[in-house]
Amino acid sequence: MESIRGKTAIVGIGEVPTGIYPERSFVEQAVAVSEMAILDAGISKDEIDTVIPVLAVANPIDNANMVCSWMVEEMGLGGSCKANFVCGSGGSSSSNSLKAAMGLICAGLSRAVLVVHSDRLGTGLDMGAAIAQFAVVSMSQEYEIPFGFSQLALAGFLQQRYMYDTGTTERQIASVVETLRKWAALNPNAMLRDLRTADDVLASKVISSPVRKRMMNKLADGASAFIVTSAERARELTDRPAYILGVGSRCTNFTATEGQGDFYKTWTPAADDAFAMAGIGREDIDVAELYDAFPTFILISMELVGLCGKGEAGRFFEEGHAAPGGRLPVTTNGGMMAQGHTGAGGGVAVLVEAARQVMGKAGERQVADVKYALDTASGGIGMDFHVGILGNEV
Amino acid sequence: MEEYTLPLPLITTLSKVFWDGCRENKLLYQHCRDCGRVIFFPKHLCPGCMGHNLEWLESKGKGAIDTFTVTYEGAPPAFMGVTPYCVAIIRMDEGYRMMSNIVDCDFDALACEMPVEVVFAQVTEEITLPKFRPAGG
Ligand SMILES: [Zn+2]
């Protein structure tokens, strides 16, 4: 089978600031980012013949409407659009919708695909309802929920075992938060833009051991979108598209109990697939947009993807190599820890940031001379793992 | 019996065997007679070979803490009133993993790989939950 390396590209991105915006409706956000992505791409909206809305966590009715072509109508694509279907795999919806877009384009079934995410985790549900909903997603009602399991407990599980296995210190984990806040300070769309030091993080109380209060992400409202088209069309539109060079993934489990201990082993073959397809090595990556939710996730994925050795990611962060000016900038939008957690949108946001860096549109936080960017995504409670590699030339 | 207000397992025809076992203070898991796979959570098909030749065996109830967390805040709403509590993943000697609470222990003394053993906590007429405590405790 002929490789689809470099046959498609991201040519336009859109994003609204993440935060608490009670007056900003679900569809207002979705329309805003779709418009931005279309203008950024410089295409006619009528070229978009597939729309893939990403499933929102906090808005079940809006989700159902998105399936029923709400965005097609809002954007006036009624004459040209051929397909509209929701992608719902939690935090990995970004990578899965990207792969769907690649396939449709390479098969000649689509010219341009709009992927759009909007969610209102900050204000769409009252906080009690949001917590209650997160308390049961991707969990067994029989064998986990009766014991008081939660997403937060998962973060505790991962950090506890990761520290035990690698000797990574709490201060090193806290330095991930410090790093992400430094990036967020340079990101006008980020929610938490004030700096936090590792000391600040370590001074906060333990919430679910060993996770501390300032190691937690913040639920927020937000939206982002991107447009995928063929490499040929991309070259007509811009001299700096974000070519999709490699993708790899593994889907392993539904629950933490069955996944724990095993699921992360598959992050390495997922990355191997992406690098093999892209035809480049780990040392070629200029910027890594690693899906976070909690600081330990970044450290674990950084090691398993192969961007640093086993047990070395904590020191890498502590020494500042992942921060602005560092030798391998990591999660330059601030991630869910600092840009804000918009459900599945956290994954879309890091993918959009990877494209933004490759396209040279990252403003104050632009990493110099980005040729290759890597992004990761994971859904549910570590149910899958995805790696993508974008580049500015084929 | 004091009224129990925390979430109870949602019992299905498949899991009924497991929960009936717990009520008799037996910890059951499935085993595939065809490929030998040890299975938990209970399944309809063997996820190894897709066979239907599954049997229930009784666990010795011993294992080690794979990982754990003590939740002080941010618990699911129903558990707000019972913090702090320890939830853990236990790697059973038979080779499967299960989630439970570690009880009758000093939370500060818990560690990954600590040996634990099952204790049964009857919470309603119907339901007995398998919990764990440090082994030999
Ligand atoms: Zn079998």
Side-chain angles (χ1 to χ4, degrees):
Chain A
M1 196 176 72
E2 198 194 344
S3 172
I4 61 172
R5 176 191 188 277
K7 295 277 166 66
T8 55
I10 294 176
V11 289
I13 52 175
E15 187 175 79
V16 292
T18 301
I20 303 299
Y21 294 98
E23 303 304 313
R24 201 170 73 187
S25 76
F26 177 89
V27 73
E28 178 186 347
Q29 296 186 150
V31 167
V33 295
S34 298
E35 180 191 14
M36 280 183 229
I38 290 167
L39 294 175
D40 187 43
I43 62 173
S44 155
K45 70 180 173 65
D46 298 330
E47 212 172 311
I48 293 168
D49 49 17
T50 302
V51 180
I52 307 180
V54 166
L55 199 73
V57 176
N59 300 69
I61 295 168
D62 292 324
N63 272 339
N65 287 328
M66 293 286 251
V67 183
C68 299
S69 305
W70 193 1
M71 288 308 295
V72 175
E73 180 172 299
E74 290 287 341
M75 301 306 295
L77 308 176
S80 55
C81 195
K82 295 167 189 153
N84 180 90
F85 57 93
V86 163
C87 177
S89 57
S92 64
S93 303
S94 51
S95 298
N96 279 317
S97 55
L98 181 73
K99 279 178 279 223
M102 292 167 73
L104 287 166
I105 290 161
C106 290
L109 291 171
S110 192
R111 290 179 300 169
V113 179
L114 169 66
V115 177
V116 52
H117 175 265
S118 175
D119 209 341
R120 286 163 46 78
L121 253 59
T123 57
L125 293 169
D126 72 71
M127 198 41 82
I131 291 168
Q133 181 163 334
F134 269 111
V136 296
V137 171
S138 286
M139 296 174 202
S140 164
Q141 295 219 34
E142 292 177 275
Y143 307 107
E144 293 183 335
I145 287 173
F147 302 105
F149 186 50
S150 64
Q151 301 260 359
L152 179 57
L154 174 79
F157 280 176
L158 288 178
Q159 185 170 327
Q160 190 83 255
R161 187 72 206 192
Y162 177 71
M163 290 172 76
Y164 177 85
D165 285 341
T166 63
T168 298
T169 66
E170 216 185 347
R171 174 166 293 277
Q172 289 170 336
I173 292 167
S175 73
V176 175
V177 180
E178 180 175 314
T179 303
L180 294 176
R181 289 295 190 105
K182 283 181 183 166
W183 284 117
L186 304 175
N187 177 5
N189 286 341
M191 181 182 191
L192 306 174
R193 302 191 59 198
D194 50 328
L195 296 173
R196 281 269 183 276
T197 64
D199 284 334
D200 294 333
V201 176
L202 293 176
S204 64
K205 59 190 167 184
V206 174
I207 299 293
S208 196
S209 67
V211 174
R212 291 178 184 273
K213 190 174 174 60
R214 284 179 177 153
M215 293 172 180
M216 291 168 67
N217 56 66
K218 191 101 171 152
L219 298 183
D221 306 326
S224 48
F226 60 90
I227 290 170
V228 186
T229 189
S230 69
E232 293 76 32
R233 183 68 181 119
R235 278 188 278 276
E236 293 166 8
L237 294 166
T238 171
D239 57 7
R240 197 152 182 187
Y243 293 105
I244 303 158
L245 302 179
V247 289
S249 46
R250 290 292 188 283
C251 190
T252 51
N253 57 280
F254 171 58
T255 64
T257 304
E258 298 199 83
Q260 185 68 27
D262 279 340
F263 72 83
Y264 13 35
K265 291 178 193 149
T266 61
W267 295 6
T268 303
D272 289 343
D273 286 356
F275 278 103
M277 184 172 166
I280 63 167
R282 266 74 173 174
E283 68 286 358
D284 296 319
I285 296 299
D286 300 304
V287 58
E289 304 296 347
L290 305 179
Y291 182 89
D292 57 341
F294 287 95
T296 320
F297 294 10
I298 283 194
L299 299 178
I300 294 172
S301 61
M302 188 164 191
E303 293 173 14
L304 292 172
V305 163
L307 294 175
C308 66
K310 184 79 182 156
E312 291 174 4
R315 198 173 63 218
F316 192 89
F317 271 82
E318 193 175 32
E319 291 174 354
H321 303 309
R327 74 171 182 256
L328 178 61
V330 176
T331 310
T332 57
N333 68 346
M336 287 194 265
M337 296 285 304
Q339 168 146 324
H341 192 335
T342 59
V348 181
V350 289
L351 176 57
V352 162
E353 179 72 3
R356 189 186 278 124
Q357 287 284 353
V358 169
M359 294 158 87
K361 294 177 176 175
E364 243 194 300
R365 64 188 186 285
Q366 179 67 47
V367 176
D369 305 320
V370 172
K371 194 169 173 195
Y372 299 114
L374 177 144
D375 80 282
T376 63
S378 180
I381 290 198
M383 70 189 187
D384 56 0
F385 191 65
H386 300 251
V387 178
I389 296 168
L390 306 178
N392 62 20
E393 56 189 52
V394 176
Chain B
M1 188 175 283
E2 206 178 315
E3 198 196 351
Y4 187 77
T5 56
L6 302 183
L8 291 167
L10 187 85
I11 296 183
T12 64
T13 50
L14 177 63
S15 64
K16 189 172 183 308
V17 182
F18 175 80
W19 294 110
D20 285 351
C22 287
R23 215 165 47 212
E24 295 168 27
N25 291 5
K26 290 178 180 168
L27 193 63
L28 304 181
Y29 66 99
Q30 289 173 307
H31 171 257
C32 175
R33 288 198 185 97
D34 293 336
C35 75
R37 190 175 176 121
V38 166
I39 301 162
F40 191 79
F41 311 148
K43 298 277 189 293
H44 298 275
L45 286 176
C46 171
C49 69
M50 262 179 73
H52 289 253
N53 202 5
L54 304 179
E55 63 179 343
W56 289 90
L57 299 177
E58 186 181 346
S59 166
K60 290 196 166 61
K62 307 244 186 234
I65 295 176
D66 192 84
T67 189
F68 69 98
T69 185
V70 179
T71 298
Y72 297 90
E73 288 183 35
F79 287 84
M80 297 282 199
V82 298
T83 54
Y85 63 92
C86 173
V87 53
I89 293 178
I90 297 115
R91 219 174 47 246
M92 303 300 295
D93 287 353
E94 289 85 3
Y96 65 94
R97 277 185 287 260
M98 64 181 294
M99 188 177 290
S100 183
N101 301 124
I102 312 291
V103 296
D104 304 334
C105 64
D106 170 9
F107 288 152
D108 292 333
L110 293 174
C112 294
E113 299 302 328
M114 177 186 271
V116 289
E117 63 191 13
V118 73
V119 285
F120 290 95
Q122 189 185 356
V123 297
T124 69
E125 296 262 311
E126 277 287 293
I127 297 294
T128 294
L129 294 174
K131 305 219 172 181
F132 287 80
R133 67 178 178 203

